[in-house]
Every structure is written in C-alpha cells, then in structure tokens.
Amino acid sequence: MAPGDIVRHADYPQWGCGYVIRAKKASSEVFFRWGGKRRIDAGEPLEPARATRVEAGFFSLCAALSASSWSRGHHSVYAIELDRAVWRNRAFRERNPGGAAGGCLYVGVTGLTPEERFERHRAGTQSGRFVREHGVRLRLDLVEGFSRLPYRIAACMEPRLAAWLRAQGFAVWQN
C-alpha cells in the first residue's frame, strides 16, 4: 500500500472507499469517504478498491493535497442536535421534506474545536439562528472521523454529510 492508493476496509464496508494519505510499516492514515480520516494498524484488513466516477472526482481533490496539508488540517465537520421545536419553522420544514423521524440537526464546518464553536453559537457570536434558539448538544458521534481535516476537504464533506444524515431520517439545516 502506498500514498494515493484507493482501498476499502473489509471490516467496515460502510466507510466506502478510502484514499491512502500516508503509509508506514506499523500503520497508515486513510481518508474514507463516509468514515473520515482514520489511523489503520498494519494488521487490519485493507483491500485495494476501484473508485466510482463520483468517488474519483472526490479522490482527485484528496490527491491535490500534500501529506503535510493533511497533517496541518484543523477543520472539523460538526453536528448539533436541535430541539424539535425548530420544526415549527417553515424554512426548516421546507428544507427537509422527508420529515424529522431521527431528530433535528445543524451541520457546519469550523476551524475551532466543535466544542468552542458550539459555545460561540450559544453565546450569539457568529451564530446560526437555529442553533442559538434551539441548540441542545453536540452530536459528534454522527460525524466521527471528520475532524482535523484540510479546509477544502471539510467544506466538501459538509453538504455530503448533511445529505447522508437526511437520508438516515434526520432533518438537517446546513448553510
């Protein structure tokens, strides 16, 4: 395995294809399309894979970044659970015609830690109105692996993760 290879993790097929950022003897860093950036130990089952046309475009964006850009990355995609009262807002409902069976979320990108960004939302500093009025708690479990990324990757993943969360039954507000 070498940097730039496209792989799959046999134990986590839900992560989709991954782009090898860095490969060492003991471990590798891989950015999986739906699993985020992961450190994979040498003994874990990674298999060569072929990217679909859609994935190929995304992985070319990954390839345009150097390994040091990935190391310096400090942006995160974050999710905040919103109180169900946000559903009363017409704009929120119109953005989510599939309903809110899984709950309501706000998804964003930040260069701060997600915790610091959530506090800024709550304090009204650079705050989205839905988070300021209806923010309940961070839901980092829904975006695990999507932290410490280069900005271009985080910004690219934000709308994709929002769409994926909608498909999972969540109502999502994302700018």
Side-chain angles (χ1 to χ4, degrees), residues 111-128:
L112 304 170
T113 67
E115 294 80 8
E116 290 171 323
R117 184 67 185 107
F118 182 52
E119 287 307 313
R120 281 195 177 187
H121 275 294
R122 301 285 305 261
T125 305
Q126 298 173 321
S127 178

Side-chain angles (χ1 to χ4, degrees), residues 6-156:
I6 306 298
V7 297
R8 281 191 182 281
H9 196 297
D11 293 343
Y12 300 98
Q14 68 273 22
W15 289 351
C17 287
Y19 177 84
V20 177
I21 300 165
R22 188 177 281 111
K24 298 179 182 175
K25 283 185 180 181
S27 66
S28 298
E29 267 188 65
V30 181
F31 184 79
F32 291 95
R33 184 161 184 228
W34 300 115
K37 188 166 77 168
R38 307 281 179 158
R39 185 177 152 271
I40 306 296
D41 291 331
E44 292 187 55
L46 287 181
E47 309 165 339
R50 296 188 74 157
T52 64
R53 188 178 306 160
V54 172
E55 291 172 327
F58 177 71
F59 290 135
S60 68
L61 176 63
C62 293
L65 300 167
S66 67
S68 63
S69 293
W70 284 93
S71 296
R72 289 189 314 266
H74 66 275
H75 287 82
S76 300
V77 180
Y78 64 98
I80 295 173
E81 182 179 326
L82 303 175
D83 186 280
R84 287 203 181 254
V86 73
W87 190 251
R88 293 186 205 125
N89 183 287
R90 190 178 89 198
F92 192 89
R93 286 193 314 273
E94 287 175 356
R95 178 100 41 111
N96 294 284
C104 300
L105 300 172
Y106 174 90
V107 173
V109 170
T110 184
L112 304 170
T113 67
E115 294 80 8
E116 290 171 323
R117 184 67 185 107
F118 182 52
E119 287 307 313
R120 281 195 177 187
H121 275 294
R122 301 285 305 261
T125 305
Q126 298 173 321
S127 178
R129 64 183 168 144
F130 293 132
V131 178
R132 186 175 55 250
E133 297 170 12
H134 302 285
V136 175
R137 65 184 173 117
L138 278 171
R139 288 294 309 267
L140 298 180
D141 58 310
L142 298 173
V143 292
E144 181 184 348
F146 293 94
S147 60
R148 301 183 41 86
L149 301 174
Y151 174 76
R152 289 174 51 194
I153 299 296
C156 180

